[in-house]
Every structure is written in structure tokens, then in C-alpha cells.
Amino acid sequence: MPIVCFIIGILMLNGALSVAAKNQAADGGFTKSSINESYGIQWKMEYGSNPGIGARYEGPQPIGDSDNDGKNELLISGRDCTIRVMKWDEGEQTYLQVRALHPPFYPFVHCSAGGMAIGDVTNDRKNEIAATWYSAIYKYFLGKYWMIGANPWIFFNEGGSADCLIGDCDNDGNNELIMSGGGGWQSSSPVGEITVLKWNGLYLKRVAEWNDPAVSGYVYMAGLGDVNDDGQNEIVCAYENKVMMLEWDAGQKVFQPTVVKRYYHDESPFGCVCKDCDGDGKAEILLSFYAPHISILKWNGTGFSTQFDITWADADPVIEGIDAGDTDGDGTPEVCAGAGVTHILQWNGTTYVEEAVLPTFGWMAVVSIGDCDNDGKNEINAGNVGVGDGQNFTEWVFKYGLEP
């Protein structure tokens, strides 16, 4: 049967990338707020105006040491049948593409990695790269990334996976590969909103799932963290205008669901991040929306309350363009949200105040925080999946304190 990758709700068969692979150096430019917080463009790449190959996709964990040499890499994905492995070159002062990964059966099968992640999937204390295409994992050895495993169950059952996440969701001390997606518009598909795969020493085995019996939902970006302060990780995901917390029941070997919040308007929740947003060392639920809207939910001891909520009028939808982390080296996390321009917010003890605005544009499917250039300080990786007429699909790396 024909194999089609279903990513972000859009079916696409892509041709080869027609954009030149030469990396572009930063071309300057920064924004500054009234409290003098500044960020410069460390690196920028344009991928042309063709949405079929130029649009950029998200990965919740695109920054990490994927080749286990002690230095981080940056993954860039999109609708071009390629995951680019980028590495900072200190001499050239730019990011260089050191490898390009393709899906199984390439070039006979063309599909896009809607999501990718760096982490220890095989639990050997070394990192791998995971990709949503066929739930594949790649390991670096002998100077090359080798595909060591794939599980096509989602795609062979008419489902799709928009993103993937590496972490311990069953709290057994070992990582799993968490695939978010669903059966899409195929009512007959058995694929649930969350599919969990585990490396058993030989291959990726499907070990758990969440399939909401009430709806046929689709999860674009799930989060993982201890959001209810019980010492255990939970998966948090949004679909069908509700936010769900999934707690693993080790006895029954199923996820126990809790509805965190429902939304009764057209601005549906889209993505989730489970990280410390306010600097108290505890994870909050950071929600993005299919609208220029974000919300932060915090555990209050008995349930979740809204710590912060904001909509930017006449802006672009945030969709997956959301993350939290220390972007300016002050030891306190910032919240970054791409709503056309990318807003940088920080908790002041009472609310979140805007520190800076980055000059991005379009629908921001990529906003991720991590140490891309291996200087011990975080950068902000950003990219768009939708742009206006005459604009190019673009990927950026912003760094705090750069001169314009």
C-alpha cells in the first residue's frame, strides 16, 4: 500500500530541496525594550518562498549533543524531506551543516519530519536523534548517523505524528519515545493521540498509548514534566479544545487521564511545554494556541490555576512557537512565544512582563531554547511554517548581548 507521511494535518509528497545548502552568516539587527534587553541575530538562513519545501517544522528537543562529542548540535527540519544537523564553527563564527538525515526508503519515499528530538532513546547513556517519519531513530558512530530502528505502526495504520519527545513518561528510570499525533481524519484508524515506544535492546516496541474514547483528537506538540508536584512525570497534551494530563498507572499499565482545562471558544489550544516558567524550580504548563495567545497554568496544591494569559491583538497564531528557559544568562527562565514577532517574557513575582521582542515573522512553528554554540549560555532558535506573499521561509538563531 502507498506510504504517506501525515504531518501537521497536511498530506505532502515533497521533491528534493532546491535551495542552496550554503550557510549564511548573521546579518545583524536587534530589538531593544525600555529596560535595555537586547538580542542579536547570530545566524539566519532563508529557504525560499515555496511552502512545499521551504516551510520549517518544530521539534521540542532540537538542541543537544547528537554525536556524543561533548558539544551540542542544532536540528533543523521542514517540508523538504531532510533533517539538517547543524554545528557551530568557532573559527567561521557560523553554523555549518555537518550531516543531512532522510527518511527510511529515501529517495523512493518522500515525507517530512514534522518533529525531531535529541536524547537517549536507547538508554545507553548516549544520545540519538529521533524523527517522526516512521518513528525512526539514528545513532552516530563511525563518522555517520545510522538508522538503528524504526516503527512504522502509526503510518501503516493511517495515522500521523506531528511531533516526538524523548523522556521518562512511565517513571521507571528509562526514557521512552513519545509520539504525538493521532488518526487524523481517518475515523477507522486505531492510532491514538499519544503513542509511546520503548527500545527493548533490539528494536522500538510500542508499549503504551492514549486514545481518547470520546473524540478522535490530534495532538501537535505534547509536553512532559512533573506538573502536579508529585515527584512523577506526566504527559500534557491539548486537542479538541481541552488540555489533558496523562499519569502512568504502573499497576494497570495504562495512562490515567485528567482534564486540566477546557476552552469554549474558537481559539483552540495547540501545543504544550512543561517547564519551569517562573523560576521556582517547579514545572508549569505553558500552552500555545491556534491564535496569538498563550496561557500558563500552575499547580496550586489541589488543581491548576491560570498564572498568566495573554492575547496579542492582530498578530499571528503561536501554534508550536513556544518554549521556556534562561535566554539572557540571568539565572531566571524566560518565556518565548512566536506570534509573528517573538515575545520574550519574564516573571517579576506578580506577573510576566515583556523584556524584548525579536524581529521574526509569519507563523512560528519553531521557538526553542538551548546552548547552540557551546559557550555555556542559551540561544533562541526560531523558524516559521507560514509566511506572507513575497517573504521567504526563514530560520534564525538569536543570542543575547550581540551587537547589531
Side-chain angles (χ1 to χ4, degrees):
M1 105 178 113
I3 303 169
V4 181
C5 288
F6 179 59
I7 304 295
I8 311 296
I10 301 172
L11 295 173
M12 281 212 165
L13 293 176
N14 295 318
L17 179 67
S18 62
V19 180
K22 181 179 179 182
N23 293 280
Q24 300 175 355
D27 65 355
F30 71 101
T31 61
K32 196 177 281 189
S33 77
S34 60
I35 56 175
N36 202 34
E37 293 278 355
S38 63
Y39 293 80
I41 300 176
Q42 186 186 45
W43 179 84
K44 175 182 174 182
M45 171 67 84
E46 295 181 342
Y47 295 87
S49 59
N50 183 344
I53 57 175
R56 300 297 93 197
Y57 276 145
E58 171 69 293
Q61 299 161 325
I63 302 166
D65 184 6
S66 62
D67 61 5
N68 300 290
D69 67 347
K71 295 183 178 180
N72 287 341
E73 284 74 41
L74 167 65
L75 304 183
I76 296 177
S77 182
R79 292 188 192 143
D80 47 22
C81 205
T82 304
I83 295 176
R84 287 167 171 76
V85 183
M86 312 295 294
K87 201 176 190 80
W88 177 253
D89 187 297
E90 186 65 26
E92 296 290 333
Q93 289 289 292
T94 190
Y95 293 90
L96 302 178
Q97 180 178 310
V98 294
R99 294 291 186 277
L101 306 184
H102 299 292
F105 315 116
Y106 179 86
F108 304 104
V109 170
H110 283 219
C111 59
S112 303
M116 70 289 186
I118 298 172
D120 184 6
V121 183
T122 62
N123 295 293
D124 64 350
R125 299 184 180 180
K126 294 183 179 180
N127 288 333
E128 292 81 35
I129 293 174
T132 55
W133 50 42
Y134 303 99
S135 306
I137 55 174
Y138 299 80
K139 194 171 193 65
Y140 187 85
F141 61 96
L142 299 178
K144 183 179 178 181
Y145 290 92
W146 302 83
M147 189 181 68
I148 63 168
N151 188 322
W153 181 85
I154 291 174
F155 298 107
F156 284 179
N157 285 277
E158 300 181 302
S161 54
D163 236 323
C164 61
L165 186 65
I166 300 167
D168 184 7
C169 66
D170 63 3
N171 300 289
D172 68 347
N174 292 317
N175 288 334
E176 289 77 43
L177 179 58
I178 304 159
M179 313 298 295
S180 57
W185 296 296
Q186 302 294 330
S187 59
S188 61
S189 173
V191 179
E193 289 80 8
I194 297 292
T195 301
V196 179
L197 307 170
K198 199 178 192 78
W199 182 256
N200 67 1
L202 296 174
Y203 59 91
L204 279 173
K205 181 180 180 181
R206 184 167 60 95
V207 295
E209 66 180 354
W210 166 246
N211 195 344
D212 193 324
V215 298
S216 179
Y218 198 90
V219 174
Y220 290 97
M221 186 172 75
L224 176 71
D226 181 11
V227 295
N228 63 358
D229 199 27
D230 66 349
Q232 305 285 309
N233 285 334
E234 294 82 37
I235 295 174
V236 182
C237 55
Y239 57 93
E240 297 295 318
N241 279 46
K242 60 183 176 182
V243 181
M244 298 291 292
M245 179 177 69
L246 306 178
E247 298 180 270
W248 182 249
D249 186 324
Q252 299 187 50
K253 297 189 181 305
V254 295
F255 286 109
Q256 299 293 351
T258 299
V259 178
V260 174
K261 192 174 179 65
R262 292 183 183 271
Y263 290 87
Y264 299 97
H265 49 69
D266 293 334
E267 296 181 1
S268 59
F270 201 91
C272 297
V273 171
C274 301
K275 292 184 179 180
D276 181 12
C277 298
D278 60 10
D280 68 350
K282 299 178 181 181
E284 286 77 45
I285 300 173
L286 178 55
L287 297 174
S288 60
F289 287 76
Y290 192 72
H293 178 195
I294 67 169
S295 188
I296 300 175
L297 308 180
K298 189 174 183 67
W299 180 254
N300 60 21
T302 58
F304 292 92
S305 56
T306 300
Q307 185 188 50
F308 183 73
D309 190 274
I310 188 172
T311 298
W312 292 281
D314 302 319
D316 289 319
V318 177
I319 50 174
E320 294 170 298
I322 193 79
D323 202 3
D326 183 6
T327 63
D328 60 6
D330 66 351
T332 303
E334 280 77 31
V335 170
C336 296
V341 297
T342 296
H343 301 268
I344 301 179
L345 312 169
Q346 190 173 65
W347 179 253
N348 69 358
T350 304
T351 188
Y352 289 84
V353 296
E354 188 164 278
E355 291 190 329
V357 180
L358 306 182
T360 56
F361 58 86
W363 289 35
M364 301 300 297
V366 182
V367 173
S368 298
I369 299 167
D371 184 5
C372 301
D373 62 6
N374 298 290
D375 67 346
K377 299 178 181 179
N378 289 333
E379 288 74 45
I380 302 168
N381 171 223
N384 47 35
V385 73
V387 297
D389 292 340
Q391 293 179 323
N392 286 327
F393 294 96
T394 306
E395 190 100 12
W396 298 265
V397 176
F398 292 93
K399 189 173 184 65
Y400 177 78
L402 284 185
E403 295 295 327

